Amino acid sequence: MITVHGGPGSGKTALAVRLLAHLMRRPDAALRYVTPSGTLRAHLCDAADNRAANDLFLPASRLRTASRRAGVLIVDEAQRLDRPGGAFPPDLTAAIRETPLVIVFLDERQIIRPREGVTVAEIAAATATSASRTTSPMDERTGQGTDRRIAAGPVRGHTDVPGEHCGQRERVAARRRGLPYGTRTGLASG
């Protein structure tokens, strides 16, 4: 589990898309990109100009399904995920449990509706809880359990992406030329 946090205009989505493009070079990559933003999803599908983009860029309503088929799951705009009954999103909990690597992009300050959003602290807690209760996902071909996680449990890391709103335009532009960028903190296996 990796969380990427940054303010508006900091380049979180640009980083997410670049990371996706980089990972797509691997022939064995099983990637999914999920966002609760219908507008963002529509723009990404249009930019890809490919019918297969609809299976790559998925709405948040398909988060649980996407997690079952993904080796890497990118969740963008996670601050807009629905919290049914005010609880941590159960589909995100399932994704953390079922997907070898989940990368969540969010801005906690952009939580708009009362029943939306997650925080970095909540994601870390859900990841720790999931690590202690991890079940083996089923291999669709054989019907047997497979443990696709790192033996020591899920990786937990956090990156803050400095934003242009902080007056750091030149530094952010320089960092956007390469992957990854931002300040890495707390990367540890757990």
Side-chain angles (χ1 to χ4, degrees):
M1 166 60 68
I2 298 172
T3 55
V4 180
H5 181 268
S10 61
K12 295 179 302 293
T13 297
L15 177 60
V17 171
R18 288 185 69 181
L19 178 62
L20 181 71
H22 177 76
L23 292 171
M24 288 181 79
R25 294 179 191 153
R26 294 182 53 169
D28 62 339
L31 305 168
R32 296 292 184 271
Y33 185 108
V34 175
T35 179
S37 170
T39 303
L40 173 58
R41 183 176 173 271
H43 286 303
L44 291 170
C45 288
D46 286 345
D49 195 28
N50 183 329
R51 296 178 86 192
N54 288 325
D55 290 330
L56 177 62
F57 300 111
L58 302 169
S61 62
R62 295 196 41 211
L63 178 59
R64 188 174 296 233
T65 305
S67 69
R68 291 184 187 128
R69 299 183 312 200
V72 178
L73 178 65
I74 296 173
V75 182
D76 198 1
E77 299 282 337
Q79 76 274 1
R80 297 189 54 204
L81 289 173
D82 186 39
R83 298 180 68 108
F88 189 82
D91 290 346
L92 186 55
T93 301
I96 291 168
R97 203 175 305 134
E98 297 171 359
T99 310
L101 179 58
V102 180
I103 306 170
V104 178
F105 292 80
L106 73 152
D107 180 0
E108 296 170 355
R109 295 169 293 182
Q110 291 187 49
I111 297 174
I112 299 169
R113 296 181 183 108
R115 291 178 40 147
E116 280 185 348
V118 294
T119 65
V120 172
E122 289 174 318
I123 293 169
T127 302
T129 301
S130 176
S132 65
R133 294 187 291 152
T134 297
T135 58
S136 294
M138 296 298 278
D139 183 310
E140 292 175 11
R141 290 178 293 120
T142 65
Q144 306 240 333
T146 61
D147 190 358
R148 300 181 305 173
R149 292 189 179 275
I150 298 170
V155 173
R156 288 186 292 272
H158 175 73
T159 299
D160 280 318
V161 181
E164 294 174 16
H165 66 284
C166 298
Q168 302 170 346
R169 184 179 308 261
E170 291 79 21
R171 201 166 85 193
V172 170
R175 286 188 177 153
R176 283 186 183 155
R177 289 192 270 282
L179 275 176
Y181 64 89
T183 304
R184 292 177 23 159
T185 59
L187 186 59
S189 61

